[in-house]
Amino acid sequence: MALLLAITLLTRAALGATVQPDHRAGSALAMISPTDHPLQAQLDRYLAGRAAVRDFAPTGRSRRDYLRIVDGQVRALRRYQTANGELPDPISGKTYYAAPCYAHCVATLAASGVDTDPELLESGMRAMDYSVTALSKGLSAFRDRHPDFYIYPVMLALGQFELVAPTQRLAAWRAALASIVPAKTYATYDNPGNNWQLVHTAGEFLRARAGLTDERYVEHALAQQRSHVTPEGLYLEGGAPFAYDAFSRYFLTGMLHRGLDDPFYRDACWRGARTSLLLQSPFGELPTGYRSAQHIWNEAELACIYETYAAHCAAEGHSEWAGAFKRGARLALAAIDRWIRPDGSGYVVKNRYPVEARFGYEAYSEHVNYNLLACTMLCAAWQVADDEVAEQPAPADVGGFAVVLPRFNMVIANAGGTYVEYMTHGNGKYNRTGLIRVHLAGATPLLSPSDGLLDSTPCPAGRPRVLRETADEVSFEVAFDGWRDTVTLGRGGLLLTRDGEASVDWPFLEFDGQTHTAVTLDGGRLTLARDGHEVRLSAPRWRLEPTLLPHRNGQVRVAVAEGEAPISVKMEVVR
């Protein structure tokens, strides 16, 4: 058996370089539709501005880079696997859904020919054994009570294992998967309260496509989930986290790609994909806000969504959008590349603290589980990615628009390489009202505010209004009872003017767990430098608060701009 397995893997390795993307896998319904879009004016400004981009440079990433990251992660995390196939976290001991994600990653590495180590393949099959057996036993088999997150990566793994695993093992897995009783297995069966139901529904859809069940529950659950979809095609749940908007669309897009025949979700996801491109920062990052933000799987889900739409747009004759989605995918991939530890594993949350510190983690964030979640998404991105589609300028490169999202309490604007997020009503836990992110092209993401400031105090609600949108400059205002902020952004920086108050709090990252920001204060000039880049903040005068405050990216200090009302703060790139 071992010899046969080795021969199979060697054969696959020889063919691995020619494995083609499955960009039309099972699609019964074209994914690109002529549906109306509530942000059509912003999309039109983007399309009109593409020709004016003069300094566009491809990221240099390719399809193989997805599995380069996955291989490094798998090699780093494999040490935590137990004899029964589980992968408990080294700090908390929790497993969540690391095993099925690991199985999918190993199966993809083996099937692609990227990593043909027979011992690695056996470890992946042990993880598959554990995952499939637990699903067949039902909810009581899951001590961390997350079976809903097992079935989708298990079914993706099955498709890859069919190329490299012994037939007897495949038959045993299929028999066990056919025995699943959804009502006795999933924690959120028939409960549309959040994304969990959608996650296991995507797995049930793949189980049906594999001939292991029917689609009756899938149709029922998808009908229940429709109320979460906004007019912009985004997925909304409690707290309005952007992380779980894209997370949900990752599963919906995967179903559509594999043949889901549902015009409602086809149109919604096509709207959402384009909305999402408008919201991506020039550094490739998903918008921050509320829970699970700043985790590297945020960009992994974007990469898969965008690669899927790049392939389908190319196949359906929409070359400009194909190039834009390709660019969005590769920017997201580059964003993940910034957060890989020396051992090959990821930093989970975008700071550089050691694993045991769990700094910036949610209660449910785990080093092993969340890194493998990112990797299963990168495997899915690799599977659909087509390097024949070239990068073209995306909205993140072009700018010239502001997007107001009332349901997310957010204004996101982009002009001349300057990108901002302004929260119009703070959520009272993760982000306060006001400017929570400024990303300046030519600098580095953490040099500017990248995640606002934790604040549990009551937050005021503002009334946003877009004032100007051109290729070179965008401005908007947010009015509150007694004061008003006006934000103007363009090439090289931004200007915030507050009318009605005489001070502005400006949080900046001082320490990311490894590197300190160099801070120079000279009267009305505050200069911040890190990673070879420098920005300057100008105000009548500055005062630095003495206390460092913890947030997801590290330790934050608040600089207070003081003067007479109205007061202005100017931010610009120095180098």
Side-chain angles (χ1 to χ4, degrees):
M1 180 63 73
L3 178 60
L4 178 60
L5 184 58
I7 293 172
T8 301
L9 288 171
L10 288 171
T11 303
R12 192 63 189 171
L15 297 174
T18 64
V19 175
Q20 297 299 310
D22 64 340
H23 60 273
R24 295 294 293 175
S27 184
L29 188 69
M31 289 183 64
I32 315 305
S33 67
T35 182
D36 294 337
H37 201 297
L39 298 174
Q40 191 61 51
Q42 288 86 347
L43 294 171
D44 288 343
R45 289 188 192 94
Y46 152 65
L47 291 170
R50 284 166 53 106
V53 176
R54 300 295 180 218
D55 54 354
F56 178 76
T59 62
R61 266 66 178 187
S62 68
R63 186 183 183 222
R64 72 174 71 91
D65 288 307
Y66 290 115
L67 296 192
R68 168 180 56 79
I69 293 174
V70 172
D71 195 32
Q73 290 257 35
V74 164
R75 288 177 175 275
L77 301 176
R78 177 183 172 186
R79 74 188 80 169
Y80 302 119
Q81 189 178 38
T82 62
N84 72 347
E86 288 184 289
L87 286 95
D89 191 82
I91 308 303
S92 72
K94 293 183 177 179
T95 58
Y96 288 117
Y97 39 95
C101 292
Y102 180 81
H104 178 215
C105 293
V106 172
T108 303
L109 291 171
S112 66
V114 168
D115 197 327
T116 58
D117 178 0
E119 292 184 1
L120 178 63
L121 178 59
E122 178 57 37
S123 77
M125 292 191 294
R126 281 205 316 275
M128 187 71 164
D129 289 340
Y130 171 81
S131 302
V132 170
T133 300
L135 284 166
S136 68
K137 290 180 177 179
L139 182 57
S140 62
F142 297 86
R143 64 175 180 270
D144 292 328
R145 298 188 68 80
H146 276 65
D148 306 59
F149 296 82
Y150 268 61
I151 188 62
Y152 192 75
V154 158
M155 294 308 302
L156 293 180
L158 183 65
Q160 297 299 312
F161 274 131
E162 286 174 348
L163 301 171
V164 293
T167 55
Q168 287 183 324
R169 215 153 180 177
L170 289 168
W173 291 336
R174 289 181 64 87
L177 289 168
S179 73
I180 292 172
V181 179
K184 296 181 179 180
T185 302
Y186 303 124
T188 59
Y189 177 79
D190 205 27
N191 181 355
N194 63 10
N195 69 84
W196 282 42
Q197 184 196 39
L198 189 56
V199 173
H200 74 239
T201 298
E204 284 297 299
F205 174 77
L206 296 188
R207 201 162 69 92
R209 287 290 153 139
L212 303 175
T213 187
D214 58 51
E215 294 188 23
R216 285 177 294 176
Y217 176 67
V218 172
E219 294 169 359
H220 170 72
L222 288 177
Q224 288 182 307
Q225 284 282 319
R226 287 188 178 195
S227 62
H228 287 284
V229 179
T230 73
E232 300 86 5
L234 304 181
Y235 185 95
L236 181 66
E237 64 176 57
F242 284 104
Y244 292 105
D245 153 53
F247 188 69
S248 304
R249 289 187 292 109
Y250 163 76
F251 292 99
L252 286 167
T253 302
M255 285 189 279
L256 289 165
H257 170 64
R258 291 169 178 84
L260 176 66
D261 188 351
D262 189 317
F264 173 83
Y265 283 109
R266 174 203 61 191
D267 294 349
C269 286
W270 174 227
R271 285 194 299 270
R274 288 174 293 162
T275 299
S276 181
L277 273 184
L278 291 173
L279 307 183
Q280 188 180 30
S281 99
F283 294 111
E285 294 191 14
L286 182 83
T288 192
Y290 206 65
R291 72 184 183 99
S292 294
Q294 297 290 323
H295 288 60
I296 63 170
W297 58 259
N298 295 180
E299 283 67 48
E301 61 197 8
L302 279 189
C304 186
I305 293 167
Y306 293 162
E307 287 287 8
T308 303
Y309 276 98
H312 281 270
C313 283
E316 296 175 32
H318 303 276
S319 59
E320 286 188 342
W321 281 112
F325 281 114
K326 178 63 68 175
R327 173 67 166 182
R330 300 299 161 85
L331 287 173
L333 177 59
I336 296 168
D337 248 339
R338 297 187 194 101
W339 297 104
I340 301 300
R341 294 178 184 272
D343 71 351
S345 67
Y347 278 98
V348 180
V349 179
K350 295 166 188 167
N351 62 61
R352 301 193 186 280
Y353 282 83
V355 172
E356 56 270 19
R358 292 177 52 84
F359 192 92
Y361 281 28
E362 303 282 0
Y364 48 79
S365 301
E366 305 292 346
H367 177 65
V368 174
N369 186 63
Y370 263 2
N371 272 316
L372 289 171
L373 173 62
C375 287
T376 187
M377 293 169 169
L378 294 179
C379 286
W382 170 84
Q383 191 169 356
V384 73
D386 184 355
D387 281 343
E388 293 298 311
V389 180
E391 294 179 32
Q392 298 181 44
D397 302 298
V398 177
F401 51 80
V403 177
V404 178
L405 297 171
R407 295 168 181 81
F408 287 80
N409 299 309
M410 195 73 73
V411 179
I412 295 178
N414 185 334
T418 298
Y419 169 100
V420 303
E421 284 186 64
Y422 190 109
M423 179 155 274
T424 59
H425 189 189
N427 49 51
K429 183 175 182 181
Y430 294 90
N431 309 98
R432 63 167 56 176
T433 297
L435 210 56
I436 65 170
R437 169 172 281 183
V438 181
H439 279 179
L440 303 176
T444 181
L446 296 187
L447 194 53
S448 318
S450 196
D451 196 24
L453 192 66
L454 289 172
D455 194 348
S456 60
T457 58
C459 294
R463 302 173 295 279
R465 183 167 69 99
V466 177
L467 303 174
R468 177 179 173 84
E469 292 175 285
T470 70
D472 299 319
E473 183 178 285
V474 168
S475 64
F476 63 90
E477 69 174 22
V478 184
F480 302 85
D481 293 340
W483 56 284
R484 180 178 66 249
D485 278 352
T486 302
V487 180
T488 302
L489 55 148
R491 186 171 295 277
L494 67 84
L495 180 70
L496 182 149
T497 300
R498 178 162 294 173
D499 192 4
E501 292 190 353
S503 67
V504 174
D505 287 355
W506 196 281
F508 65 89
L509 182 70
E510 185 156 314
F511 183 61
D512 67 1
Q514 185 178 84
T515 305
H516 288 271
T517 298
V519 182
T520 305
L521 180 57
D522 182 11
R525 227 175 234 196
L526 176 63
T527 303
L528 310 174
R530 63 163 39 236
D531 304 326
H533 297 282
E534 185 176 311
V535 299
R536 180 186 301 125
L537 293 154
S538 303
R541 61 181 179 274
W542 287 101
R543 172 173 55 84
L544 298 182
E545 294 284 7
T547 305
L548 288 174
L549 304 173
H551 205 5
R552 286 180 279 224
N553 297 130
Q555 300 289 341
V556 173
R557 190 179 299 280
V558 177
V560 183
E562 298 175 322
E564 303 294 328
I567 183 171
S568 293
V569 175
K570 182 179 181 181
M571 183 176 190
E572 56 192 329
V573 176
V574 177
R575 59 182 171 89

